[in-house]
């Protein structure tokens, strides 16, 4: 039986490309702002593009924060993508403004210290041993990134018991996180061709 996935529609994100990628990976996908459906699905995907503050405003306007948090507390899988990953952290610092995040992961989002921004294009990642998301993927697998902000508190996440996958652009930053039912990727698996499809299939095995 296909896993029932909700892609949360809170007014931001690559909703249709995420929907299509998950369907190709074998899931039964619904794109909706229905919080009851989001709470009851086998897996919830939180997408996001653009600014941290705008994404948090959309989540708050929908009232989705408690639903996401309750799923994590109950051990029910959540996958954050791009800014949908960033809002899972405690805060985002953009354009001199600090915006509170969902606080489900420790640390904050800051501007990458790189000469060239945004960081846009394909990049390799370094996954830790025991990663489920990257299981079976070659070490030189490349994923598609589009961002200027990232999380670089690698030690804080590791201390919190998370499996942290890193990439490098100006500095090492968090490319993906796995902690219990919560998974997240800074890159876009739905735009990452075969490697992204394999990662989504790996996530579906956790549901």
């Amino acid at each position: 039986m296909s896993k029932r996935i909700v892609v949360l529609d809170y007014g931001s994100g690559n909703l249709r490309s995420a929907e299509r990628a998950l369907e190709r990976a074998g899931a039964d996908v619904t794109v909706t702002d229905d919080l009851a459906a989001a709470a009851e699905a086998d897996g919830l995907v939180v997408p996001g593009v653009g600014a941290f503050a705008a994404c948090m405003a959309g989540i708050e306007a929908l009232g989705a924060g408690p639903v996401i948090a309750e799923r994590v507390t109950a051990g029910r899988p959540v996958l954050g993508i791009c800014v949908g990953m960033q809002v899972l952290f405690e805060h985002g610092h953009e354009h001199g403004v600090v915006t509170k995040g969902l606080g489900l992961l420790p640390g904050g989002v800051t501007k990458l210290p790189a000469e060239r921004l945004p960081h846009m294009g394909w990049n390799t990642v370094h996954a830790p041993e025991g990663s489920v998301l990257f299981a079976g993927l070659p070490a030189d697998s490349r994923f598609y990134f589009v961002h200027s902000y990232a999380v670089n508190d690698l030690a804080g996440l590791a201390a919190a018991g998370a499996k942290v996958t890193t990439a490098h652009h100006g500095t090492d930053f968090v490319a993906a996180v796995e902690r219990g039912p919560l998974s997240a990727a800074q890159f876009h698996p739905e735009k990452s061709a075969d490697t992204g499809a394999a990662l989504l299939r790996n996530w579906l095995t956790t549901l």
Side-chain angles (χ1 to χ4, degrees), residues 14-77:
N14 288 331
L15 302 176
R16 298 305 167 187
S17 57
E19 177 187 28
R20 289 191 296 269
L22 286 158
E23 286 175 343
R24 288 194 297 269
D28 176 9
V29 187
T30 302
V31 176
T32 183
D33 61 359
D34 184 334
L35 295 181
E40 295 165 6
D42 295 321
L44 175 64
V45 174
V46 182
V49 295
F52 186 105
C55 287
M56 276 306 303
I59 288 171
E60 290 171 353
L62 185 60
V67 172
I68 298 169
E70 287 161 12
R71 282 190 63 97
V72 174
T73 299
R76 309 203 66 198

Side-chain angles (χ1 to χ4, degrees), residues 6-188:
V6 162
V7 176
L8 185 64
D9 181 2
Y10 63 92
S12 177
N14 288 331
L15 302 176
R16 298 305 167 187
S17 57
E19 177 187 28
R20 289 191 296 269
L22 286 158
E23 286 175 343
R24 288 194 297 269
D28 176 9
V29 187
T30 302
V31 176
T32 183
D33 61 359
D34 184 334
L35 295 181
E40 295 165 6
D42 295 321
L44 175 64
V45 174
V46 182
V49 295
F52 186 105
C55 287
M56 276 306 303
I59 288 171
E60 290 171 353
L62 185 60
V67 172
I68 298 169
E70 287 161 12
R71 282 190 63 97
V72 174
T73 299
R76 309 203 66 198
V78 172
L79 173 65
I81 296 175
C82 197
V83 185
M85 165 183 153
Q86 295 180 0
V87 296
L88 301 173
F89 287 82
E90 292 171 325
H91 57 84
H93 189 173
E94 292 183 354
H95 309 298
V97 176
V98 177
T99 302
K100 184 178 179 181
L102 296 175
L104 300 176
L105 291 168
V109 180
T110 56
K111 192 173 184 178
L112 281 167
E115 291 184 7
R116 190 180 76 257
L117 291 175
H119 172 217
M120 182 167 62
W122 297 85
N123 204 343
T124 54
V125 302
H126 179 72
E129 287 190 18
S131 168
V132 173
L133 289 181
F134 297 89
L137 287 169
D140 60 352
S141 295
R142 302 174 77 85
F143 296 86
Y144 189 79
F145 291 82
V146 184
H147 65 119
S148 297
Y149 296 81
V151 177
N152 58 23
D153 184 6
L154 311 180
L157 277 170
K163 289 185 174 69
V164 181
T165 295
T166 61
H168 188 88
H169 185 74
T171 188
D172 288 339
F173 66 88
V174 178
V177 180
E178 301 164 67
R179 189 175 73 168
L182 189 57
S183 301
Q186 177 61 67
F187 53 82
H188 287 276

